[in-house]
Amino acid sequence: MTPHRNGTLSGKPLQEFVLEGFQGGLQTQALLFALFLALYLAAVLGNLTMIVVITLDARLHSPMYFFLKNLSFLDLCYSSVIYPKALANFLSSAKVISFGGCASQFFFFSLMATMETLLLAVMAYDRFLAICSPLNYPITMCPSACAHLVLGCYGGGCLNAILQTSFTFNLPFCSSNHINHFFCDVPPLLLLACADTAINELVLFGICGLIIVGTTLGVLISYAYITVTILRMRSGAGRHKLFSTCGSHMTAVSLFYGTVFVMYAQPGAVESMEQGKVVSVFYTLVIPVLNPLIYSLRNKEVKEALWSLGHKHTAK
């Protein structure tokens, strides 16, 4: 019998998927629920704090912090695309998500993750211009230029999300509707298809590999020039300040790009679902928790802004 498009062998359209999530009994599920809830609340609180502080403090109204505010917004959004449903499933025996809900979750996750990948490269370019071409920096990175760069990240994210979603959800899913993951991601979905997924895997690894390799090269080239420029500086205090600022960004880039590369830009990633779940938790939840800490604890201006905001609130 010919598989029905987006359906089963019986020809009935597929209405829902089951997100299997993590294995374990009630105690294990309760423990995971508590852990994920704590991490998710920390991610929401940390990123909202960064957005509010950067918005309210005039000292942080610069291109670097404009991009950082957008990074916090993306971290907040793509964690929220996944974890409310994942948390609900820890307490549910059904663990069901509709076909449309799965496609929507997949689309917005792809959108946010791609945008963050591109935005991290833009932030490296911003630091390159600020350090290597300080006289032209105010003109080059004017507010309109910053807005256009962020819009470009949105455009690239939309394009990739549309391509990935259309290629994936036009496959016939006829072997099973049980997704061996805690959210709708492309590798476990490809394993459910009863058609040849070679083109889909080529699109996945090709586009994701191109984005990750291209942005990584951009980051590495930017920081190569930045390092040379900093080492030529005579002021030790100036070198320390710049290395500290750039170190925060490089830490965030290394964590995010490394885990995304392991998950999407290497052959064989589709088959390693158990490892993929752990990696997915790291880049969809742990990194959004760490980013506000990385940028606040290692940034004197952000710490001063946080103290000032807290002091004003206490004074009232």
Side-chain angles (χ1 to χ4, degrees):
M1 183 180 295
T2 304
H4 186 274
R5 185 182 181 184
N6 291 339
T8 63
L9 283 171
S10 65
K12 297 179 180 179
L14 186 66
Q15 298 295 323
E16 60 187 27
F17 289 103
V18 176
L19 294 169
E20 293 185 349
F22 294 92
Q23 301 301 315
L26 290 176
Q27 289 185 339
T28 302
Q29 296 297 310
L31 180 62
L32 288 172
F33 172 83
L35 176 62
F36 278 48
L37 178 61
L39 288 172
Y40 177 61
L41 291 176
V44 171
L45 180 62
N47 286 290
L48 276 178
T49 300
M50 291 295 292
I51 293 170
V52 170
V53 168
I54 293 171
T55 301
L56 296 181
D57 197 304
R59 294 171 296 179
L60 303 182
H61 292 177
S62 66
M64 182 176 76
Y65 294 108
F66 172 73
F67 295 131
L68 180 54
K69 183 166 72 171
N70 278 275
L71 179 66
S72 294
F73 174 73
L74 291 177
D75 280 340
L76 178 63
C77 287
Y78 86 78
S79 293
S80 298
V81 165
I82 296 170
Y83 286 94
K85 181 62 178 177
L87 288 168
N89 284 343
F90 281 124
L91 304 178
S92 170
S93 58
K95 303 182 187 298
V96 169
I97 185 171
S98 67
F99 186 89
C102 186
S104 298
Q105 185 185 66
F106 179 89
F107 174 84
F108 285 108
F109 168 71
S110 299
L111 171 65
M112 300 300 171
T114 305
M115 285 168 55
E116 178 149 343
T117 305
L118 297 172
L119 183 61
L120 287 170
V122 168
M123 293 172 71
Y125 175 66
D126 170 69
R127 292 298 82 206
F128 160 72
L129 290 177
I131 295 170
C132 299
S133 184
L135 296 179
N136 294 326
Y137 179 71
I139 299 173
T140 307
M141 295 301 287
C142 62
S144 62
C146 294
H148 285 129
L149 286 170
V150 171
L151 287 174
C153 295
Y154 277 77
C158 283
L159 180 60
N160 184 44
I162 291 169
L163 287 173
Q164 298 289 357
T165 305
S166 59
F167 269 87
T168 302
F169 285 88
N170 275 317
L171 287 169
F173 299 105
C174 52
S175 57
S176 171
N177 69 336
H178 286 249
I179 300 175
N180 185 20
H181 215 301
F182 60 92
F183 70 98
C184 294
D185 198 8
V186 63
L189 282 167
L190 292 184
L191 293 178
L192 299 184
C194 57
D196 185 7
T197 61
I199 295 178
N200 295 76
E201 292 184 35
L202 181 63
V203 170
L204 169 66
F205 298 131
I207 295 178
C208 291
L210 179 64
I211 292 172
I212 294 170
V213 172
T215 51
T216 301
L217 285 175
V219 170
L220 291 176
I221 292 171
S222 295
Y223 274 95
Y225 279 103
I226 288 170
T227 302
V228 171
T229 302
I230 292 176
L231 292 176
R232 288 176 178 173
M233 295 177 64
R234 295 182 180 180
S235 170
R239 285 199 301 268
H240 176 75
K241 179 181 179 181
L242 291 175
F243 270 127
S244 177
T245 301
C246 295
S248 300
H249 183 251
M250 281 303 296
T251 302
V253 167
S254 300
L255 289 172
F256 185 80
Y257 280 22
T259 51
V260 170
F261 179 84
V262 168
M263 190 66 193
Y264 299 107
Q266 60 159 338
V270 172
E271 286 79 12
S272 55
M273 282 299 100
E274 294 307 315
Q275 177 190 2
K277 291 179 190 178
V278 177
V279 175
S280 296
V281 171
F282 192 79
Y283 74 83
T284 60
L285 190 58
V286 176
I287 289 179
V289 172
L290 291 177
N291 277 346
L293 297 175
I294 291 170
Y295 283 104
S296 61
L297 294 178
R298 299 192 58 172
N299 191 305
K300 183 180 178 181
E301 292 175 327
V302 173
K303 286 189 287 187
E304 289 177 351
L306 283 168
W307 182 89
S308 177
L309 185 63
H311 182 70
K312 288 179 181 179
H313 180 74
T314 305
K316 292 180 179 179

